Amino acid sequence: MSTKHLVLIAVLALVGSGGTFALVAGTASAHWRNSGSTSSSVKTEANKRWNKNWGQNSGASASASATASASASASASAPASAPASASVSAPATGGGAVTTNGPSPDDFVDINSVQPNVQSVAKQSSGSSGVFTARCGRNRNGHFNPDNFIVAPGVSNGAHHVHDYVGNLSTDGFSTNESLAAAGTTCAQGDKSAYFWPVLRTRSANDAADADGNTGTILTPTTVSITFRGSPTAKVTAMPSTLKAIMGDAKAFTNGVANAKASWSCTGFENRQLTDKYPLCPSGSKVVRTLNFPSCWDGVNTDSANHRTHIVFPDAAGACPANTKAVPQLRYRLTYALPANTGTNFAVDSFPEQLHKPVTDHADFANFMPTSLMNQVVSCINSNRRCG
């Protein structure tokens, strides 16, 4: 029997024993992440991994494989023009070494070393300065999933990182206008809107990474403040029902920072806002995430192909572009009390190639307020009152 025949028999034996299954499954999984389509068996397996403790992988070998895959993806995806601080580097080590794909030590800064950088915009006589607060709790009921029905509709694990939800109780990757309108809510006054953002986690060397390289203990915010605000240059008009909006960019590390609008700070220091660093807060001070949404609506569309062009941000003076109208500006303010000695061992969930960079923070919203409540919001803001 020739050498070629012996090699062929060996290869067939390896296939028959399942030796190439991991390679095939790994390829299928990678294809699913890129295109959003794959066989139901691959999706089912991925969902099993997510459903155990919101995606914690229980197998040590699976964890190592997922981490290696995520690291390779991150290395391949990092742009040549990325700043040195954004390169793949040794993991942060304050409070215990972490062995995941980012962030790096220079993604953190002592808030005491940051100069005040917040400038307020003066309200004009034509402007509106009221504030309406939506009271929706802070997700104490544990509504989490790795989906995003706005940017990845009909896909399980479409976000590749876990989202925190308040408001609509049914929100997942398969939500529709009809299902959201029919669901319950954690918000007062019948507000069924979907408010969501990626979770923040504390991490340790003992954490097992999930299928997308996210790791650690999910933190419930100490406070969740959801407010709707006015425009310094104009009265606001009502948001249409079913309006979808996103802010920030979950892929800002590789896409660039043009849409990176989220900011980080500490309680007692909120005149110092950071977009590309996590803050290291002094004892007794909490980490703060501030997520301001666009507020200049085109007056026609409730969504757009890129989920951005139908509703955009005002300019530096607070004025909306021509052919748009000011609607109430949505703001999430989230605070977190980190455990003692956390150091630099915390991070926001991210896509694998984004390396848990703070610049990738983002949030999503879908308006399902009753029309009567939205009218109350508008009246409150335009009459310069505080309501909710």
Side-chain angles (χ1 to χ4, degrees), residues 18-76:
T20 61
F21 177 77
L23 175 61
V24 173
T27 303
S29 178
H31 174 72
W32 172 44
R33 292 179 184 179
N34 290 332
S35 69
S37 62
T38 188
S39 67
S40 59
S41 62
V42 174
K43 289 183 180 179
T44 300
E45 182 57 29
N47 288 338
K48 286 180 181 177
R49 290 196 293 266
W50 277 111
N51 290 334
K52 184 175 177 65
N53 194 24
W54 304 300
Q56 297 301 304
N57 194 306
S58 59
S61 62
S63 171
S65 175
T67 304
S69 174
S71 298
S73 173
S75 177

Side-chain angles (χ1 to χ4, degrees), residues 110-112 266-267 269 280-286 338-341:
D110 183 343
I111 196 67
N112 286 294
C266 303
T267 55
F269 298 85
L280 297 176
C281 303
S283 177
S285 176
K286 299 179 179 66
L338 300 185
N341 302 316

Side-chain angles (χ1 to χ4, degrees), residues 120-257:
S120 59
V121 179
K123 175 183 170 292
Q124 300 178 13
S125 59
S126 58
S128 50
S129 60
V131 178
F132 182 92
T133 299
R135 305 193 184 280
C136 301
R138 56 189 183 96
N139 197 18
R140 298 180 76 171
N141 59 320
H143 184 179
F144 304 109
N145 60 53
D147 301 349
N148 191 320
F149 73 94
I150 297 176
V151 300
V155 179
S156 293
N157 191 34
H160 294 276
H161 49 263
V162 177
H163 281 127
D164 225 335
Y165 293 89
V166 298
N168 201 287
L169 289 169
S170 69
T171 315
D172 63 18
F174 301 90
S175 293
T176 63
N177 289 345
E178 293 73 22
S179 68
L180 292 167
T185 181
T186 67
C187 298
Q189 304 186 68
D191 178 9
K192 297 185 178 184
S193 299
Y195 304 95
F196 55 110
W197 54 87
V199 298
L200 190 70
R201 303 188 195 229
T202 55
R203 311 189 306 159
S204 77
N206 297 321
D207 293 332
D210 63 28
D212 294 299
N214 292 299
T215 181
T217 301
I218 292 174
L219 292 169
T220 298
T222 307
T223 61
V224 173
S225 173
I226 297 174
T227 54
F228 292 85
R229 298 165 179 269
S231 162
T233 65
K235 302 298 184 185
V236 298
T237 190
M239 291 179 175
S241 179
T242 75
L243 176 74
K244 315 297 191 302
I246 64 175
M247 68 77 53
D249 185 354
K251 298 182 178 181
F253 174 58
T254 52
N255 285 348
V257 298

